[in-house]
Amino acid sequence: MRYPIDLHTIPQPLMTRRLLRIAAVAFIAIGVMRPAIAQDLLADFEQKVTTFTLDNGLTFVIVERPEAPVVSMHTYADVGSVDEVKGITGIAHLFEHMAFKGTDTVGTLDIDAERTAIAAENAAFDALRKEQQKGALADPARVAELTETLGAATEVTKAFVEPNEFDQIVTRAGGTGLNASTSTDATRYFYSLPANKLELWFSLESDRFLNPVLREFFAEREVVKEERRMVTDSNPIGRLVEEFLSTAFKAHPYGEPIVGHMSDIATMTRAEALAFYRTYYVPSNLTVALVGAVDPDNAKRLAETYFGRLPAAPKPEAVETVEPEQIGERRVIIREQTQPFVLVGYHKGSMFSEDAAAFDMLASILGTGRTSRIYKSLVDDQQLALQASAFNNFPGNKYPSLMAFYAVPNQGQTPEGVEAAIYAEVERLKTEGVTDEELTRAKTRARANLVRQLGSNTGLASMMAMHQALYGDWREVFYSLDRLDAVTAADVQRVANETFRPNNRTVAMIVTETDETASVQSEQDANGAIR
C-alpha cells in the first residue's frame, strides 16, 4: 500500500524487449504514436494472446513471450478497501498478508492439531473482546486474565506452524519478485518462476485460494498495526492524507484508509476475515495473467485441473454508495513542527468516464514532470516550492475519485502562498487553454510509458489482468491509445472549467508550528478560541 505522493513517501509475434525499447525511442522521436502503429501493435499481440474462462468463472489471459524460459504470473482480485464496511476497515489488506501464510498442506506440521489450537485461540480472543467491549465497565482484572489466556493459546498454535513455507517453496524453485499489494480497488498477487515450474505455480496459487489457513492471525495483526503506525500515525504526510480523504469523501468508502483504522485492526477476527474471503475471493472475481514461455494449451489444462477445483459463486456486487455532489469548499489544517505541505483535490469521474482520457492529459500538462506547468511555475520560475505535481485518480479509479495537486513550500514560503500559486496556474489554463505542443507532449509521454510497460513481463501481466478484469477485454490496453488520440485541446480546457471550481475543492495543509507559535496557540485555545 502506497500513497501516490512519493516524498520519502501510485498498469503477437510479440516484440522482444530490445525491439520494444527501439519502438519506445521511435515513438518519442515522432511525438505521437499514429493509430496505424497502435493497430499494428495490437494485431501483433492478438496473434500471441489466448484467453479462456473456466466453468467456475475464473478468467485467464495467456501471453506467449518465449524469448526467455521464464513466466510471470499475476492474480488480480477485484477487491480492495473500497469493498469494506465500517468496523472492518483494513480487512482487504490483512487478508493479503494471510494469503502468504499457507494452506492445510503448506505451512503446517500437523493440520488437525493446528486447527484445534486455532479454535481455542479464537475462543480466547472472542472472550477478551467481549469483555473489552464493555468499555469503562470492563473489569481490568478480567481483561488481564483473558489477555494472558490468549497469549498462552497463541503460543500453542505456534508449535504447529512451519514459518514462511510458501515463500521458501517459491524461492527454492527459482521464483523471484514474490509479493502482493492492496489498493482501494484491487488486491494483486505476483511473482515469476522458471517456465518448467509452471505447474508448481498452478498448484500453490490455486491452493491458497481454495484452502487458506489463517495461521499466525493475531501476530500478523500486530504487523499491520505497526505498518499503520509507520505509514500514518508517525508520518505527518500520512496523517494529512488520511484527514484529506476522509474530508473529501463523506459518504463513499474511498474516504477510508487502506490500512484500516487502528481500532478495527485491533478487534478484527478470523471469522470476519474468512467471511470477507468467501465473499470476494470467488472465481468470478479473479483474473489471472501469465506472460512468458508458456504454452496456452498446457496452461488451460493445468488451469482446469487446479483452479477448476474452486467452487463457483456469483461475482460480488459493486459499491452502491455514490458520493454526493460537493456544495462547498472543505479544508483541513494540521499544525505541526514539521515541513509544510499542501494538498488540493477536485472531484472527477471514474476511469470509465467519457472524459477519463482528457483528465489524464490535463494532469500530465499541469503537473507531471519537470516540464509541467505547476513545476515550472512554482519550482523553477517563482521558487515557491521544492516540489510540486499533479496526479489523477486518487485514491482509486473504479469509482469517481479526485484529481489532486501537492506542493512542498520552499524555505520562507507559506502554504497559503503556494496554494494561491497553484490556483493561478489552474485559472490560467481554464482561461487560455493548452497549446498543441503541450498536448502532443502529454500524449507522447503516455504512449512511451505504455511501451515501457510492454517491455516487462511483470508489467505486461499486470496490465493484461487489470484491463481484462475491469473492462472484460485485455485489448483495452491498446484501445486506450485511441481515446488519447481523440482528446483535443478544447476537451482539456472544458474539463478544467467544469472541474476546478472552489465548491468542488478539498484543501489540506500542514502549517509549520514553531515553539513560539505553539505557545501562542495554546494560550488562544485556553481562552476559548476556535482552532
Side-chain angles (χ1 to χ4, degrees):
M1 180 196 71
R2 295 186 63 186
Y3 297 120
I5 303 172
D6 192 7
L7 295 179
H8 65 310
T9 311
I10 100 177
Q12 279 181 6
L14 201 60
M15 302 173 76
T16 65
R17 293 186 181 186
R18 179 172 179 273
L19 289 176
L20 284 166
R21 287 196 294 269
I22 294 172
V25 173
F27 296 152
I28 294 172
I30 63 174
V32 177
M33 182 192 291
R34 304 300 178 188
I37 297 177
Q39 291 168 11
D40 288 345
L41 192 57
L42 172 58
D44 285 340
F45 267 87
E46 285 185 317
Q47 296 180 40
K48 292 295 183 178
V49 175
T50 301
T51 63
F52 57 85
T53 300
L54 302 180
D55 292 342
N56 59 16
L58 200 156
T59 297
F60 280 79
V61 181
I62 312 298
V63 185
E64 297 175 72
R65 178 173 271 180
E67 288 78 15
V70 177
V71 182
S72 293
M73 306 84 165
H74 191 104
T75 301
Y76 184 98
D78 191 13
V79 54
S81 62
V82 73
D83 299 293
E84 299 165 352
V85 296
K86 294 288 187 180
I88 58 167
T89 60
I91 201 165
H93 177 232
L94 182 58
F95 186 82
E96 173 218 310
H97 283 233
M98 289 291 97
F100 289 88
K101 294 300 180 179
T103 67
D104 55 6
T105 57
V106 175
T108 186
L109 298 173
D110 185 335
I111 187 60
D112 293 330
E114 183 181 18
R115 289 193 185 280
T116 299
I118 285 175
E121 186 184 33
N122 289 340
F125 177 73
D126 289 344
L128 173 60
R129 186 170 75 155
K130 184 176 181 180
E131 184 65 29
Q132 290 174 328
Q133 287 174 338
K134 295 178 182 178
L137 298 178
D139 181 353
R142 180 62 173 158
V143 170
E145 176 189 350
L146 292 172
T147 299
E148 185 176 344
T149 301
L150 174 61
T154 297
E155 286 300 315
V156 173
T157 65
K158 291 180 181 179
F160 306 108
V161 175
E162 183 67 48
N164 303 315
E165 187 174 18
F166 186 96
D167 302 45
Q168 293 170 6
I169 293 172
V170 172
T171 301
R172 287 197 299 266
T176 60
L178 176 65
N179 214 329
S181 67
T182 304
S183 67
T184 53
D185 294 333
T187 309
R188 302 168 173 88
Y189 302 87
F190 45 89
Y191 59 99
S192 300
L193 276 173
N196 62 359
K197 299 295 183 179
L198 183 62
E199 187 166 3
L200 175 64
W201 176 86
F202 274 97
S203 175
L204 288 173
E205 194 76 353
S206 62
D207 194 34
R208 69 166 159 177
F209 297 131
L210 177 64
N211 302 303
V213 175
L214 307 191
R215 54 177 55 93
E216 301 178 296
F217 182 81
F218 297 104
E220 203 64 29
R221 279 193 336 185
E222 294 303 313
V223 172
V224 174
K225 286 164 68 176
E226 182 59 26
E227 184 175 340
R228 180 188 162 82
R229 293 186 188 100
M230 294 176 60
V231 172
T232 303
D233 297 342
S234 62
N235 184 327
I237 294 176
R239 292 196 295 274
L240 185 75
V241 169
E242 185 166 288
E243 293 295 324
F244 169 78
L245 289 174
S246 67
T247 302
F249 295 94
K250 67 179 186 179
H252 196 272
Y254 271 167
E256 302 290 347
I258 297 172
V259 74
H261 295 294
M262 186 65 83
S263 60
D264 290 350
I265 301 169
T267 58
M268 203 172 293
T269 68
R270 274 194 179 93
E272 289 171 331
L274 283 170
F276 192 81
Y277 147 75
R278 292 185 179 118
T279 299
Y280 292 101
Y281 280 83
V282 295
S284 57
N285 212 38
L286 300 175
T287 302
V288 172
L290 305 179
V291 179
V294 53
D295 174 70
D297 293 334
N298 184 46
K300 185 174 183 179
R301 178 184 63 80
L302 293 171
E304 291 171 341
T305 298
Y306 290 98
F307 281 92
R309 300 178 298 168
L310 276 64
K315 184 175 177 62
E317 294 183 358
V319 173
E320 295 181 346
T321 301
V322 176
E323 182 67 23
E325 182 178 358
Q326 187 170 326
I327 60 176
E329 183 185 77
R330 304 169 185 169
R331 299 185 74 86
V332 175
I333 298 177
I334 297 178
R335 293 181 174 86
E336 296 195 26
Q337 296 182 6
T338 189
Q339 172 74 50
F341 194 86
V342 178
L343 180 58
V344 180
Y346 296 85
H347 287 279
K348 57 172 286 294
S350 73
M351 64 185 292
F352 306 111
S353 164
E354 61 182 16
D355 286 325
F359 274 106
D360 287 339
M361 296 297 93
L362 177 60
S364 181
I365 292 168
L366 272 175
T368 300
R370 294 175 178 267
T371 61
S372 67
R373 289 193 177 191
I374 294 290
Y375 190 95
K376 289 174 64 178
S377 176
L378 274 67
V379 178
D380 290 342
D381 298 342
Q382 302 182 68
Q383 298 185 359
L384 296 174
L386 298 171
Q387 181 60 267
S389 185
F391 50 96
N392 204 5
N393 300 320
F394 183 52
N397 55 20
K398 276 178 62 177
Y399 303 97
S401 58
L402 303 172
M403 177 175 168
F405 303 86
Y406 80 87
V408 182
N410 209 341
Q411 187 174 4
Q413 302 296 328
T414 67
E416 294 83 0
V418 170
E419 177 191 1
I422 292 174
Y423 298 154
E425 285 304 313
V426 166
E427 290 301 318
R428 184 166 74 88
L429 187 147
K430 289 168 63 177
T431 302
E432 301 175 5
V434 301
T435 66
D436 290 339
E437 180 183 358
E438 286 178 311
L439 185 57
T440 296
R441 187 163 58 239
K443 291 181 178 181
T444 299
R445 184 185 297 115
R447 285 162 174 75
N449 288 339
L450 172 63
V451 171
R452 278 193 289 270
Q453 284 186 281
L454 296 180
S456 159
N457 283 2
T458 300
L460 179 56
S462 173
M463 287 194 300
M464 290 292 196
M466 184 187 76
H467 285 78
Q468 183 67 41
L470 297 181
Y471 290 98
D473 190 349
W474 60 268
R475 295 170 184 82
E476 286 291 337
V477 171
F478 301 95
Y479 295 159
S480 64
L481 298 175
D482 297 330
R483 289 191 288 272
L484 286 177
D485 282 327
V487 174
T488 66
D491 291 329
V492 175
Q493 186 176 18
R494 172 180 56 80
V495 297
N497 277 280
E498 293 172 351
T499 305
F500 297 145
R501 298 173 284 107
N503 66 331
N504 189 41
R505 182 167 71 204
T506 299
V507 183
M509 62 176 64
I510 297 175
V511 176
T512 302
E513 186 175 60
T514 64
D515 291 334
E516 181 178 350
T517 58
S519 177
V520 171
Q521 188 66 59
S522 296
E523 183 176 345
Q524 291 175 341
D525 290 345
N527 293 330
I530 298 176
R531 188 174 185 178

